[in-house]
Structures are given as structure tokens and as C-alpha cells.
């Protein structure tokens, strides 16, 4: 198998790579925010969902 040379990488390939990275990061952020929300709601049993209490 031959190696890629700098001229072999097209703008479409670069754009596809950047799109894949962006989508992956968006998914990671959604999972992280869901985990934070679940942890916060679990700590304050008497609180309404989505309501944050400062102590």
C-alpha cells in the first residue's frame, strides 16, 4: 500500500475530517451535559427538575 503525499489530500477530505471531529465533539458535549444534569438533579431530591439550588 502506498503512503499519502501532501498533494493526495483533497479539500473534500479535509472538510470531511473537520466535520467528523465537530460531530464527535458535539456528541461528547451532549453526553457530558446529560451526566451533569442527572448528577445535579440527583443531589437535590426535593428540587424541581431543572431547578438549581444554591447552598
Amino acid at each position: 500500500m502506498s503512503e499519502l503525499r501532501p498533494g493526495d489530500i483533497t479539500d473534500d477530505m479535509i472538510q470531511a475530517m473537520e466535520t467528523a471531529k465537530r460531530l464527535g465533539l458535539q456528541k461528547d458535549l451532549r453526553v457530558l451535559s446529560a451526566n451533569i444534569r442527572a448528577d445535579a438533579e440527583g443531589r437535590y431530591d426535593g428540587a424541581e427538575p431543572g431547578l438549581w439550588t444554591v447552598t
Side-chain angles (χ1 to χ4, degrees):
M1 184 172 180
S2 64
E3 292 186 31
L4 285 175
R5 291 166 285 182
D8 293 339
I9 299 173
T10 65
D11 289 339
D12 289 339
M13 293 169 80
I14 292 170
Q15 185 177 3
M17 179 188 67
E18 290 173 353
T19 298
K21 277 199 303 189
R22 185 175 62 250
L23 292 175
L25 290 173
Q26 287 174 353
K27 181 180 177 187
D28 291 346
L29 287 172
R30 285 188 191 108
V31 170
L32 178 61
S33 66
N35 289 340
I36 291 170
R37 186 178 305 113
D39 286 348
E41 289 175 355
R43 285 193 190 133
Y44 307 105
D45 293 332
E48 299 277 330
L51 177 67
W52 291 45
T53 307
V54 178
T55 57

